[in-house]
Amino acid sequence: MTVGGSASQRAQEARRQERLLREQWQAACRQAGQWVAASEGERRVAAQLLVLTERGWRLLVDRRWPGTRAANVDMLLVGPGGVFVIDIKNWRTAPETVDGKLSAGGEPPDDQVGKLLTVTKAVEGAVASLGMSPVAVQPLMVFAGQRIDASLGRTRLLGEHEIGPVLLSQRHRLRSEAVRALADHLERVFPDYRGASVAQHVPAAPHRPQQAHTEGLFDLEGLRDAVLEEALRAPIEQWMTFLHPDQVALVRRNWSGPARISGPAGTGKTVVALHRAAYLARRTTDRVLYVTFANNLPRVQSTFLKAMAPAVADRVDFRSLHSWAQEFLHERGVPVRLHRDKAETAFSLAWKHVGRESRLTEIDPAPAYWREEIDYVIKGRGLTTFEEYATVPRRRRKASLRRVHRQSVWELYEAYESRRNERGVHDFNDVLSLALKEATHHRDQPLYAAVLVDEVQDLTLVGVRLLHALVGDVANGLLLVGDGQQAVYPGGFRLSDAGIDIRGDRGQVLRTNYRNSKQILDAALTVVADDAFEDLDGLRTPGRRDVDLTYHDGQVVRVTKPTADAHDRELLDVLRALPDGARADSAVLCPSMRAISHYQRLLAQAAIPLCLLEHYDGHAVDAVKIGTYRRAKGLEFKHVFLPRHDAVLQGETLADATDSTKASETAREREELWRSQLFVAMTRARDLLWLGSIAR
């Protein structure tokens, strides 16, 4: 199609929409004119809302507030954009917002916004039983005869000229059947107050010649543009609006102290946490912190929240733990000299002079294992004396260490610390320890109303203590989300080690998988079936857990080729054959950075668009995502491709591994960790899981 042809068609569509809207507007004005009790301004606003009923919206007028004798709700509007609780005002003077308060003519009226929010909470409760998240319920205060578009907390203030375009430009959240179900439900919960009724389908007025639009009451051009933009916008993901009613209950729950949400892969833990963040942000004027371990996830989750709840997205800070800690220390004037390369050099020298000839080589001659011991067991748990280390449980570490071996580890740790201090640098664990010390000294100056921690099992004990210190044990202050089976880093801890007491119903377990089909989940569970794990509450849990499934359309494709080249050609062929638009929801996941480099080069040579997961920010991009198993944590894709997926378990991965530890306890520990990472990668798949292998 030529550019001119496209412009011509768009112009024709604009004229058609303008004609249709004019006819609907004239019919709506006649219908609204029947409301004798309403003011002229209220009738004009109602007419705009009646126009929406021709476009799949349902309008409920003058509804009785359940549980009260005389209170009423002006209007409830249900449509593709969600549920809107509407209070119409007919003020003589223009509304203003001053210092977070609503005023008219310089005088603060009664707490009109507070009353509207109270009604909105009642509506949220009514639709929660149908699985609707609070993010899809929005209070609107509409001012007849005024022009305004502002926000006061979670309440949006609109003038009569702005209401129509704003509602038509809302992102699509609900399908037509959901609109009907919600409207019918609200009609029962909020019955007629005085027998009010509204025709839901405005009859189209006979076509009349175009005439000057002199009423000045209806922004026809704005509405037309909103309609065109609506047609061009893709629907947002359904999970951004609907959750299972049990999940909605968790989003809205009032917890008396720290809480935890756990559950197997695919049960919606992150989704619940995001909705919870939006819910809390709407109910406080303070900031909310949403933390995870991986660097890429905060960008993605921030994008999702902006689509779900744009009105509060700027009050939720999405950060990786280490980046937040560095900024926190900088603001407090605490010097941080983080330098990874110099810290690595310090450890290498310590291993050369202290570790290489020690008794540690009896257990594992690879220095990487002992670096992990220092990072996750000693510094990760904040140990400062050998006697602490001598008796501490080494959770998720399988190799048994006698006291003499622990003494050797401690000597290696002290040698490393000495050389690191000589170079005047910090490592990542030091950053968290410094931040914990600073946060502990300033408990009387809370930075956040709430802290939500996603993938908590990947943090160290010091990291969890730090986040706990920010909010303490206040009601609704700390929410920890994660699953011990999906831990992809060595080491471990119990929440009780951090002084966090999860009591009663403050520990919730999700048991329904909303992402994976039975075929995909069975394939993933086979990998970890024999790997029992200890969760953060200390309970020993079998690798194969029972879950309820809701998704049944996925498939597993296994491809085995005789050579690596043949295997890679098959992968490229299937990626080239993806239908239009499918690349945006596809990912190639690998166990190591070396493997990533290999497949990144192959896809580039084959002219297949790609996007590294470390650069992905949650916005749709027509490119195959590529990243490591670890980097895929917290994400999901319709199509997941795992080239040479079984090489990890056969010791022939492109990742760095040593043959000398194959028969040792540390090797078994490493293999279990690899299986956990592979399990995470496999459970990212919704519709297709492609498993590539090379024949042996």
Side-chain angles (χ1 to χ4, degrees), residues 426-490:
H426 295 123
D427 60 21
F428 286 105
N429 282 298
D430 296 323
V431 173
L432 299 187
S433 295
L434 289 169
L436 173 59
K437 181 180 179 180
E438 186 68 18
T440 303
H441 289 166
H442 296 86
R443 290 182 184 271
D444 58 334
Q445 303 173 14
L447 296 175
Y448 297 97
V451 174
L452 296 93
V453 188
D454 200 4
E455 306 291 356
V456 63
Q457 74 279 354
D458 288 334
L459 303 186
T460 62
L461 180 60
V462 170
V464 175
R465 285 175 176 163
L466 166 61
L467 296 170
H468 183 211
L470 296 180
V471 288
D473 294 328
V474 301
N476 301 314
L478 181 66
L479 177 62
L480 305 171
V481 179
D483 173 34
Q485 188 173 36
Q486 298 180 68
V488 296
Y489 295 94

Side-chain angles (χ1 to χ4, degrees), residues 101 108-116 141:
K101 301 289 185 179
D110 295 337
D111 187 14
Q112 302 293 322
V113 174
K115 294 176 183 177
L116 177 58
M141 191 169 284

